[in-house]
Amino acid sequence: LIQVVLDCGVLPTVVQFLNHSSPAVVLGACRILANIASGESNQTAHVRDGDLWDIMFGVMHFKFSAKIKSDIDKEVCFFMSNLVIDMEKDDPLYSHPIFHHIMSIVPHASAKVVQEASFLAFNMVQEAGEAAVATLLDNGLLGAINKMIGSPITESRHNGLVVLKNLCKTYPRVVSEAEALGIEEKLTEMDGHVDERSQGLVNVLIGVYFDREEGVGEEDEYE
């Protein structure tokens, strides 16, 4: 179906709908683009475009109702989380402000937006170069992670925990910054009250990265 949409040549019209006066039309256009972004590499290439991202960034600032805005933010997060998977580590598009904006809205976003943003954070930390991730850290990534690991949605918690673990290994500053945000206390509260898949990561983060007596940065066997 993605290829059918592309072959029909309607993509430029869909992009134009992002500036439509009807919130429902804008949301529908966002969903179409998000689904295209979930396709194969040759399909996502059609929407990996800085000009289109500028438009999407603008859409996230439209004065819609809270419900429509939340739905749009969710679709944009889904859109971006799929696009970064095939990007080169040093792709200049990683500097686009849409990434920073998404991280900045997560602490006050709905659970569904947080869930999609958690996949974006997970993929970016896996795929992006260190400079891009460091910029994200300067623009609210840890605050977003704090929200993710406190989410009622299992995938959000697990993605947030994995991202935090990977960040701690590569960026020493994360430990002290995470402590300052109170993430250690949240992890302690979660201990024993999370799904089994995430429990190992909770224990690792408490016992290895946040326990000074155990030694920050020790290797663990949990994968």
Side-chain angles (χ1 to χ4, degrees):
L1 289 178
I2 292 175
Q3 195 58 49
V4 170
V5 172
L6 295 174
D7 290 344
C8 286
V10 300
L11 185 58
T13 302
V14 173
V15 173
Q16 288 179 358
F17 283 156
L18 291 174
N19 287 313
H20 200 277
S21 59
S22 168
V25 173
V26 175
L27 176 58
C30 287
R31 284 178 173 160
I32 293 171
L33 294 169
N35 283 319
I36 292 174
S38 69
E40 299 175 357
S41 297
N42 63 319
Q43 295 169 331
T44 62
H46 289 272
V47 288
R48 188 176 291 110
D49 178 88
D51 292 336
L52 172 57
W53 293 13
D54 288 343
I55 299 172
M56 297 288 270
F57 179 66
V59 166
M60 297 186 81
H61 291 81
F62 285 175
K63 302 297 183 182
F64 291 140
S65 69
K67 175 65 169 61
I68 289 290
K69 189 175 186 312
S70 179
D71 288 342
I72 287 175
D73 289 346
K74 172 181 173 291
E75 296 300 334
V76 175
C77 288
F78 180 57
F79 175 80
M80 298 304 300
S81 67
N82 283 296
L83 288 180
V84 300
I85 293 174
D86 293 323
M87 286 172 61
E88 298 293 332
K89 285 190 176 296
D90 298 318
D91 193 312
L93 280 175
Y94 275 123
S95 64
H96 198 282
I98 197 168
F99 293 112
H100 310 151
H101 178 68
I102 289 173
M103 292 304 129
S104 72
I105 67 173
V106 168
H108 307 289
S110 68
K112 290 184 178 180
V113 172
V114 173
Q115 182 181 24
E116 294 300 338
S118 76
F119 286 106
L120 172 58
F122 180 93
N123 291 339
M124 282 198 71
V125 170
Q126 295 277 69
E127 303 290 336
E130 290 190 10
V133 177
T135 302
L136 273 184
L137 285 168
D138 290 335
N139 287 273
L141 177 56
L142 277 180
I145 291 172
N146 196 22
K147 177 74 172 187
M148 292 168 193
I149 65 176
S151 170
I153 299 178
T154 298
E155 291 295 340
S156 301
R157 292 196 303 271
H158 186 73
N159 288 340
L161 289 165
V162 172
V163 172
L164 181 59
K165 177 188 174 186
N166 290 339
L167 289 174
C168 286
K169 286 184 173 181
T170 308
Y171 306 89
R173 71 185 242 201
V174 168
V175 175
S176 59
E177 292 179 9
E179 287 177 336
L181 282 173
I183 293 180
E184 180 182 13
E185 288 76 9
K186 181 171 288 187
L187 291 173
T188 302
E189 292 172 3
M190 290 172 63
D191 195 16
H193 301 283
V194 295
D195 54 285
E196 183 177 352
R197 182 175 61 155
S198 298
Q199 186 59 62
L201 279 174
V202 173
N203 293 338
V204 163
L205 287 164
I206 293 174
V208 177
Y209 296 111
F210 293 109
D211 191 335
R212 299 293 185 177
E213 294 182 0
E214 293 294 328
V216 174
E218 292 179 8
E219 293 296 324
D220 59 86
E221 297 179 356
Y222 183 86
E223 296 294 338

